[in-house]
Amino acid sequence: MTRAHLPGILAMAAIVVASNILVQFLYGQWLTWGAFTYPLAFLVTDVMNRVYGAAAARRVVLVGFVVGLICSLIGTQIMGEFGPLVTLRIALGSGIAFLTAQLLDVAIFSALREGRWWRAPLASTLIGSTVDTALFFTIAFSASLVFLEPANDVSWAGEVLPILGFGPAAPLWVSLAVADWGVKLSLALLALIPFRVITARLSPAH
């Protein structure tokens, strides 16, 4: 780890902390404010990968994982209206989803890095975001995994409703996942602009 990696480390830590705080505040019916900050972690990972390589990107991911773990541990000790702000299932889902999706992002980016500039960040972020969403919401809220934390009542997430209010009927957590996934995909496209600008400024030629 070199001093040049410090901005990426600090950016990843800031995103993880901000997302853990903002996830407590609703935005509309299906989202929280954290949904708009968390996807920026993929941008940080991809910038580090492009400029400094896969090893540096993985180190930044591990920093983000450790910071997220600390936030989860703190959250389990803070009581909200309905119990701890962070339950065991949410902590497990968050940690497993983050680490798996980010390391997958690094691997896909590295495999595509010699192609056109936009292919690696777009493909890695789209696939990583999809895996992240599927893992987190399934682990945190699916009725099939209730054995992970029997004392945690997540029956509210299993209420069957039309997806996003107008689609086919499915458990509520599916609507939450679809909305979250949609934000991630939209930000993956928008993030190509800052990715291009930042990597151009940080490239060795500059």
Side-chain angles (χ1 to χ4, degrees):
M1 191 72 68
T2 69
R3 185 177 300 178
H5 301 160
L6 187 58
I9 292 171
L10 294 177
M12 180 66 82
I15 289 167
V16 171
V17 171
S19 298
N20 274 272
I21 294 172
L22 293 174
V23 76
Q24 302 171 50
F25 301 97
L26 290 174
Y27 178 83
Q29 188 175 359
W30 312 108
L31 294 167
T32 69
W33 282 102
F36 298 95
T37 55
Y38 177 77
L40 296 177
F42 289 97
L43 173 61
V44 173
T45 301
D46 290 346
V47 168
M48 293 299 295
N49 201 340
R50 173 61 75 191
V51 177
Y52 302 110
R58 281 191 288 268
R59 292 190 189 102
V60 170
V61 167
L62 291 178
V63 169
F65 174 74
V66 171
V67 171
L69 183 61
I70 293 171
C71 288
S72 293
L73 291 175
I74 293 173
T76 60
Q77 304 304 309
I78 301 176
M79 299 302 292
E81 183 179 356
F82 303 104
L85 292 181
V86 177
T87 64
L88 174 62
R89 289 185 65 176
I90 288 177
L92 283 174
S94 178
I96 292 172
F98 178 87
L99 194 59
T100 302
Q102 292 290 330
L103 292 179
L104 180 62
D105 179 285
V106 174
I108 293 172
F109 190 104
S110 298
L112 299 176
R113 68 182 307 121
E114 300 304 327
R116 301 190 61 151
W117 72 267
W118 52 267
R119 285 181 59 197
L122 184 59
S124 62
T125 300
L126 290 179
I127 296 172
S129 295
T130 301
V131 170
D132 182 276
T133 300
L135 284 175
F136 173 74
F137 283 94
T138 301
I139 294 171
F141 301 118
S142 173
S144 64
L145 297 179
V146 69
F147 64 88
L148 291 174
E149 192 179 15
N152 177 26
D153 181 13
V154 292
S155 58
W156 60 270
E159 182 182 1
V160 177
L161 298 167
I163 296 178
L164 299 181
F166 59 85
L172 171 60
W173 68 267
V174 175
S175 289
L176 302 178
V178 170
D180 182 83
W181 183 61
V183 171
K184 286 175 180 170
L185 297 191
S186 299
L187 290 180
L189 293 172
L190 292 175
L192 289 175
I193 298 172
F195 173 84
R196 184 64 166 170
V197 172
I198 295 170
T199 54
R201 288 184 176 274
L202 294 179
S203 64
H206 289 76

